[in-house]
Amino acid sequence: MDFLLNEFLVTGDPLIYGAMVSIVLVSIAIVFVLTYFRKWGYLWREWLTTVDHKKIGIMYIIAAIAMLFRGGVDAMLMRAQLTLPNTEFLNSQHYNEIFTTHGTIMIIFMAMPFLIGLMNFVVPLQIGARDVAFPFLNAVSFWSFAFGAMLFNLSFVIGGSPDAGWTNYAPLAGPNLNPGPNINYYLLGLQISGIGTLATGINFMVTILKMRAPGMKLMRMPIFTWSSLITSFIITFAFPILTVALALMTIDRIFGSQFFTLTGEGMPMMWANLFWLWGHPEVYIVILPAFGIFSEVISTFARKQLFGYKAMVWSMLIIAGLSFLVWVHHFFTMGAGAGVNSVFSVTTMLISVPTGVKIFNWLGTMYKGKIRFDTPMLWSIGFIPCFVLGGVTGVMLAMAAADYQYHNTYFLVAHFHNVLIAGTVFGCFAGLTFWYPKMFGHKMNEKLGKISFWFFVIGFNVCFLPMYFLGFMGMPRRTYSIEPEWMPLNVISTIGAVLMAVGFLVFVYNIYYSFRYSEREKTGDTWDGRALEWATTTPVPFYNFATVPEITGPEAFWKMKQEGGTTYDKENLEPIHMPSDSGVPFIMSAFMFVAGFGLVWEWMFMAIAGLIGILACMVVRSFDYDHGFHVSVEEIKETEEKAREGEK
Amino acid sequence: MSGHSELTTGPLEYRSHEDRMTVLGFWLFLGAEIALFATLFATYAVLFGRTADAPAPQELFEMPMALTMTFLLLTSSFTCGIAIHEMRRGSLKGLLTWLIITLALGLGFLGFEIYEFVHYAHEGATLQSSAYWSSFFVLTGTHGAHVTLGICWAVLLIIQLKKRGLNQMTARKTFVLGLYWHFLDVIWIFLFTSVYLIGMVV
C-alpha cells in the first residue's frame, strides 16, 4: 500500500488527480459505449485486426490528433506558468516533466504518426497499388507505435513523467541523478514505437520501389510519393542509431553499465552525439513528407503542373544526404574546437540551398496559376512565409560563433517552432483537409476550416515572434519562472498560444460538424486532382483499384482525364489477391507493452514474460502459411457499380 | 502491375512477386542492421582505452580462443552456402543436413563466447566495470544475441521444411535466413579485426 501510494501512483498534485479521474471516466465511458452498442466485435474485426493500409492510416491520424491535444495541453500549462513572474502554478519539477513530455510527444507521437498516417493512406493509392508490400508488418508498426505511446503517456499518472528534456541528456538522465522509473518510460516508450517506425521505413521503401503501376517510372511518381520514399530511406538508416542510443542508456540505468556515466570513465557527451545523429535526420523525417504535401496541394489548387519537379526531387535527395552530416550544430558549445564547428556550420548552411530551391519552385508553381483558395491551399500559402522565417533564423543559428549567444535561449525555441509548426503541423492540416474527402467521403467544412486556419496562423505568429526577442533578452530555454522584465513579451506570447488553441479546437469541431452536415461526395475527384489517388471512387473500395491503368507520363490522373481512362475496365477484370486480417500484430504489441512496463519498473519477471509473449507471437506468425484470399470478379463488379452510380 | 508475373523457372525463392519483395525488404533490413552495428562499433571506438580500474583488453584477449571462434563461424557461413546450393538443386535432404551442420557450428561459436564472457567476468572485467568493458560486452553481446536468434529461427525453419518440404514459401524463408547468417559472419570479421586483433596489440 505504501509502495502504491508513494511510488507507483503519482500523488499530491491536484492537476494530476484531475487527470486520473478523467482517465478513469473516459475509460469507463468507452467500455460502456462499446458494450451498449455491441461494438466490441466490430472494433476487433474492422480495426484492431485490420491490415488495410487505409484503415491503419486513419488510426494513425486519430492517435496523432489525440497526442496533439495532449502535447497542446502541456504547452498551455507551460504558457500559463510563464505568463507572469514568480508564478507558483507549477513547481520546477512539474514544469520539467511537462516540457519533456511536450517535446517528446509532439515529435515522436504526434508529428511522425500524423505524417506516417497520411503516407499510409495516400502512397499506395498514388502508385496504383492494392496495399503496402508487407501489410502484416504495417499493422505491427501501427500497434507498436500505439502501445509505445500508451506506455509513455502512462508515466504521467503511474511513477512520474520523464523530466530531462526530450533530448534526455546524460548524465542528468543517468541512474545517479535521476533514479526511478520516469526516464525508463522515455527509453522504453520510444524504443517500442521506434521498432514500428523502422518497420514502416522498410515497408514503404519496398512498396514504392516494387509496387508501382505499370509505366510509372520513378520520375513519373507523384511528388508526395517521392517525399515518402526519401523519408523512408532516412528512417531506415537513422532509427537504428536511436535504437542503440536508447538501449545503451537503458542498460546503463537498469544493468549498471558505464556508457554515459561519470564513473568508470563513461562519456556523457556520447549520448548527445548519438541522440543527434538520429535526431537531426529525424527533423527531416517530419519535414520532407510535409514538403510533399505542400507540393501536391499547391499544384492542385494553382491548377498547374508542379514547377521544377526534377529540382524538387533532387533537393529532397540532397537534404536527406546532408541531414546525416549536421548533427554537431546542436551542441556547438560542447567545445569540439573551431575546426569541427566550422565544418558542421558549413554543412548546416548548405541545407538552406536545396530548401530555398524548393521555396522558389512553390512560388513558381503558383505564378500565373488560377489559384483557388480552399483551406488546404491556405495552409500551404501560410506555410511559405512562416517557414522561411524559421529557415532564416536557422541560418543565424548555424553560425557557430554566433550560436554561443543564442544557444539554449528562447531564440532557439522560437526557431524550431517556426519550422516545425509552420512546416510539419501546417503540412499535416493541409494534408488532412486535402485528402479528407478521399478518407471519409465528405469535405471538411470550408468556413470552419478558414476560421481555424486564421486563428491558428495568427496565434502562431503572435506566440512565437516575441520569443526571438526574449531570446535576445537572455531568457533561457526550459526555465520555469520568468524575470519581471520579460513579462510583456511573455504575455503576448501566451495570448498567441490561446489563439492557437482556439484554432485547434475549431479544427476538431470541424471534424464533428462535417461528419454531421457536410454534403457527401459523389465522385472520387473532389478537387480536380492530378495524381492517381483521385482516380478511384470515394469511398475507396478495400482493394483500391478494380483495374490498374497503364501510366504513360507524369500526373497520371490528369492525363487520364484528358485522354480517357478508367480504374474500372470492365473487360479486363481479374480476381484480386488481398492479404488476410490478423490479430497477431495487436497481441504482439500488447506483449511489447508488458515487457516495456516490466523494464520500466525493473520487474524482471514481467519483462521476461512479455518477451516470451513477443517471441511466441513470432513463432505463431512463422508457422502461419495464410496466403490471403481472392476477391471474385462478381464482387468487384458489384462494388464498383454501386460506387459509381453517382458519377453518371 | 510491373513485375507481378509469376515465373516458372529460376530459383524457387524468386518466382513470385511477393517473394521478390520479401527478399528486397530483407536486404533493406540488413542495411538498417549495418547502421545499428556501425553505431555500436563507433561507441566501442570512442570508449576504447577507457578501462578505469578493470584489466586492459590485452591482458585478457587470447588469440587461440578468438581464432577458434572465427574458424567456427566462418565455416558455418560456408556450410550455410552449401545448404542454399543444395536447396537450389532441389535436394531437401542435402539442405537439412547442411543446415544442421551450420547450426552445430553456430552453437559451438556461442558456447565459446559464453565461456569467454564468464572467464572475463572472473578476471574482473564485467559490463559494470568500465566504459570500455560496457561497450565490449554490448557490442559482442549484440552479435551473440543475433546468432542466438538465428539459431532459433533456423530450428523453426527446419521443422517447417520437414513438414512442408521444399516449396516457394519455405525456399524463400530459407534463403532469407541464409542472408542473415552470412551477414552475421561479415559482422564477426569486423569484430575479430577491430576488437580482438587491435585489442591485443594496442
Side-chain angles (χ1 to χ4, degrees):
Chain A
M1 197 62 196
D2 189 45
F3 167 77
L4 192 68
L5 287 182
N6 288 326
E7 285 182 51
F8 194 70
L9 294 172
V10 179
T11 48
D13 189 320
L15 274 175
I16 290 178
Y17 287 135
M20 282 177 184
V21 172
S22 61
I23 289 173
V24 171
L25 287 180
V26 169
S27 309
I28 291 172
I30 291 172
V31 171
F32 177 76
V33 168
L34 284 171
T35 313
Y36 186 79
F37 292 102
R38 298 166 187 267
K39 290 289 184 192
W40 284 104
Y42 164 81
L43 184 71
W44 177 257
R45 277 190 312 275
E46 296 294 319
W47 297 95
L48 301 190
T49 61
T50 188
V51 295
D52 183 338
H53 71 98
K54 300 181 285 296
K55 286 183 181 166
I56 289 176
I58 288 169
M59 287 195 289
Y60 261 120
I61 292 169
I62 293 171
I65 291 176
M67 287 295 108
L68 181 56
F69 176 72
R70 158 84 215 263
V73 170
D74 285 346
M76 297 312 290
L77 292 176
M78 282 192 284
R79 282 319 317 164
Q81 169 73 15
L82 294 181
T83 311
L84 301 171
N86 303 320
T87 315
E88 286 301 321
F89 177 55
L90 303 172
N91 61 36
S92 63
Q93 173 60 25
H94 199 171
Y95 187 82
N96 290 350
E97 293 179 9
I98 281 179
F99 74 66
T100 303
T101 52
H102 169 76
T104 315
I105 285 175
M106 286 301 199
I107 296 277
I108 307 275
F109 301 126
M110 189 286 283
M112 249 192 331
F114 210 131
L115 293 164
I116 289 176
L118 291 169
M119 272 163 67
N120 253 294
F121 189 89
V122 177
V123 167
L125 292 174
Q126 281 198 332
I127 62 173
R130 262 77 186 242
D131 207 315
V132 293
F134 312 116
F136 178 92
L137 188 65
N138 202 21
V140 175
S141 288
F142 172 73
W143 289 112
S144 65
F145 147 69
F147 278 104
M150 220 186 288
L151 184 64
F152 185 87
N153 276 282
L154 207 59
S155 65
F156 168 43
V157 287
I158 297 179
S161 293
D163 55 0
W166 89 280
T167 49
N168 206 44
Y169 276 179
L172 178 60
N176 295 325
L177 293 174
N178 219 329
N182 50 358
I183 302 287
N184 294 353
Y185 273 114
Y186 172 95
L187 297 168
L188 274 309
L190 263 62
Q191 190 71 282
I192 291 172
S193 67
I195 293 165
T197 313
L198 176 61
T200 300
I202 295 172
N203 209 342
F204 275 83
M205 270 218 268
V206 179
T207 305
I208 297 171
L209 291 175
K210 285 279 190 184
M211 294 179 78
R212 298 191 307 279
M216 187 182 277
K217 295 175 183 157
L218 283 176
M219 279 298 176
R220 286 175 181 173
M221 291 197 309
I223 198 78
F224 179 67
T225 300
W226 254 115
S227 71
S228 303
L229 176 64
I230 295 166
T231 305
S232 306
F233 172 84
I234 306 179
I235 287 176
T236 309
F237 291 97
F239 263 78
I241 307 173
L242 178 70
T243 306
V244 171
L246 294 171
L248 297 186
M249 196 182 270
T250 311
I251 299 171
D252 260 9
R253 291 182 60 88
I254 300 180
F255 301 103
S257 63
Q258 310 272 4
F259 289 102
F260 310 121
T261 54
L262 293 167
T263 52
E265 297 201 52
M267 268 181 94
M269 278 317 284
M270 237 337 249
W271 168 265
N273 276 281
L274 291 179
F275 181 86
W276 286 113
L277 255 167
W278 159 80
H280 204 87
E282 165 70 14
V283 174
Y284 291 92
I285 293 170
V286 298
I287 199 67
L288 287 182
F291 284 174
I293 293 167
F294 293 130
S295 303
E296 298 280 351
V297 169
I298 288 175
S299 155
T300 304
F301 290 90
R303 293 185 254 200
K304 277 178 68 193
Q305 187 169 0
L306 184 67
F307 180 81
Y309 173 89
K310 277 188 188 167
M312 286 297 213
V313 172
W314 281 108
S315 310
M316 284 195 285
L317 284 168
I318 293 168
I319 291 174
L322 285 173
S323 75
F324 283 90
L325 302 173
V326 297
W327 79 94
V328 174
H329 73 212
H330 295 273
F331 40 87
F332 279 141
T333 53
M334 179 175 86
V340 173
N341 278 1
S342 304
V343 169
F344 285 93
S345 191
V346 170
T347 50
T348 305
M349 288 185 214
L350 274 180
I351 289 196
S352 63
V353 177
T355 316
V357 169
K358 295 183 76 68
I359 300 279
F360 283 108
N361 281 339
W362 286 314
L363 297 177
T365 309
M366 284 189 279
Y367 180 67
K368 287 196 173 170
K370 293 194 194 75
I371 301 177
R372 283 174 298 170
F373 292 94
D374 297 284
T375 318
M377 188 61 171
L378 284 183
W379 287 111
S380 307
I381 295 177
F383 145 78
I384 293 177
C386 297
F387 184 82
V388 167
L389 193 61
V392 170
T393 52
V395 177
M396 288 170 74
L397 283 158
M399 293 184 278
D403 182 68
Y404 275 69
Q405 200 63 35
Y406 315 130
H407 186 82
N408 268 1
T409 66
Y410 259 71
F411 187 84
L412 171 81
V413 175
H415 155 72
F416 69 68
H417 283 92
N418 237 315
V419 279
L420 280 172
I421 295 181
T424 308
V425 178
F426 285 18
C428 290
F429 286 167
L432 185 59
T433 34
F434 182 54
W435 284 302
Y436 201 85
K438 199 79 295 192
M439 291 176 186
F440 301 106
H442 57 269
K443 278 190 200 176
M444 285 180 84
N445 182 278
E446 272 298 316
K447 199 171 167 197
L448 284 174
K450 282 176 178 146
I451 294 173
S452 76
F453 167 76
W454 285 112
F455 265 105
F456 202 85
V457 82
I458 292 172
F460 164 65
N461 283 299
V462 173
C463 183
F464 291 102
L465 277 178
M467 288 188 188
Y468 287 112
F469 300 98
L470 284 169
F472 287 139
M473 289 161 79
M475 180 169 162
R477 181 187 188 186
R478 292 171 177 166
T479 182
Y480 89 105
S481 74
I482 59 167
E483 299 294 320
E485 64 263 33
W486 301 330
M487 195 186 95
L489 287 175
N490 272 302
V491 171
I492 296 174
S493 185
T494 304
I495 292 169
V498 172
L499 295 178
M500 285 171 83
V502 173
F504 172 73
L505 292 178
V506 175
F507 192 93
V508 173
Y509 174 69
N510 195 357
I511 293 176
Y512 165 77
Y513 182 87
S514 310
F515 171 71
R516 288 292 299 273
Y517 303 111
S518 259
E519 203 187 322
R520 304 295 113 160
E521 287 294 309
K522 295 197 179 63
T523 69
D525 184 16
T526 313
W527 309 105
D528 197 9
R530 311 176 84 86
L532 217 48
E533 75 266 28
W534 305 107
T536 179
T537 55
T538 294
V540 187
F542 66 96
Y543 50 78
N544 293 356
F545 299 93
T547 54
V548 180
E550 176 88 25
I551 309 297
T552 53
E555 303 204 303
F557 183 50
W558 192 253
K559 250 186 131 178
M560 276 168 68
K561 280 193 278 193
Q562 286 161 343
E563 297 170 359
T566 176
T567 58
Y568 178 46
D569 182 357
K570 280 177 215 160
E571 309 305 312
N572 290 317
L573 287 176
E574 275 174 28
I576 294 171
H577 178 248
M578 294 300 291
S580 309
D581 289 349
S582 168
V584 176
F586 181 82
I587 296 166
M588 190 162 127
S589 307
F591 277 121
M592 287 186 201
F593 179 87
V594 172
F597 195 75
L599 277 174
V600 164
W601 288 91
E602 303 181 28
W603 297 336
M604 287 309 147
F605 67 91
M606 192 175 177
I608 291 168
L611 207 64
I612 291 172
I614 300 168
L615 292 172
C617 288
M618 287 177 167
V619 173
V620 169
R621 171 63 181 168
S622 181
F623 281 94
D624 180 9
Y625 276 67
D626 187 345
H627 290 278
F629 62 96
H630 281 89
V631 191
S632 67
V633 172
E634 291 72 50
E635 194 187 336
I636 300 170
K637 269 191 179 157
E638 200 179 305
T639 319
E640 293 290 317
E641 297 294 342
K642 207 172 141 212
R644 283 166 197 270
E645 264 171 15
E647 284 185 12
K648 301 290 146 38
Chain B
M1 279 181 210
S2 58
H4 268 205
S5 52
E6 309 276 317
L7 306 174
T8 47
T9 55
L12 265 178
E13 67 272 16
Y14 279 109
R15 285 192 193 168
S16 81
H17 183 243
E18 215 184 315
D19 291 341
R20 287 194 292 274
M21 290 202 298
T22 307
V23 173
L24 175 68
F26 198 78
W27 273 108
L28 292 172
F29 171 72
L30 290 184
E33 285 272 57
I34 288 174
L36 184 131
F37 274 102
T39 314
L40 286 172
F41 272 107
T43 307
Y44 177 84
V46 168
L47 300 177
F48 189 81
R50 295 178 163 257
T51 41
D53 301 328
Q58 58 266 40
E59 294 169 33
L60 294 186
F61 289 173
E62 286 164 28
M63 193 46 119
M65 177 113 103
L67 266 181
T68 318
M69 284 163 80
T70 309
F71 176 76
L72 284 173
L73 204 64
L74 260 62
T75 315
S76 85
S77 198
F78 180 65
T79 56
C80 179
I82 299 179
I84 300 295
H85 177 70
E86 289 292 328
M87 181 179 88
R88 291 264 167 86
R89 280 185 29 189
S91 159
L92 180 64
K93 197 165 160 246
L95 168 62
L96 286 174
T97 315
W98 287 103
L99 258 186
I100 289 165
I101 293 173
T102 309
L103 278 194
L105 289 167
L107 276 174
F109 168 85
L110 218 55
F112 272 100
E113 184 154 64
I114 292 167
Y115 169 78
E116 186 201 1
F117 283 7
V118 172
H119 171 66
Y120 291 169
H122 279 301
E123 299 289 329
T126 64
L127 183 74
Q128 288 100 353
S129 41
S130 75
Y132 170 80
W133 286 108
S134 297
S135 68
F136 169 84
F137 281 108
V138 169
L139 173 58
T140 50
T142 306
H143 178 263
H146 275 73
V147 174
T148 315
L149 200 76
I151 290 171
C152 299
W153 184 4
V155 171
L156 291 181
L157 262 185
I158 289 171
I159 298 170
Q160 291 173 28
L161 281 165
K162 284 221 156 148
K163 235 166 85 181
R164 293 166 190 273
L166 259 183
N167 57 37
Q168 249 168 262
M169 200 85 158
T170 50
R172 187 249 293 157
K173 286 184 172 199
T174 316
F175 181 73
V176 166
L177 173 75
L179 288 180
Y180 181 76
W181 198 263
H182 293 309
F183 167 76
L184 296 182
D185 197 46
V186 172
I187 295 294
W188 178 258
I189 291 170
F190 282 93
L191 272 171
F192 178 66
T193 42
S194 59
V195 175
Y196 289 96
L197 288 188
I198 294 179
M200 263 178 260
V201 292
V202 176

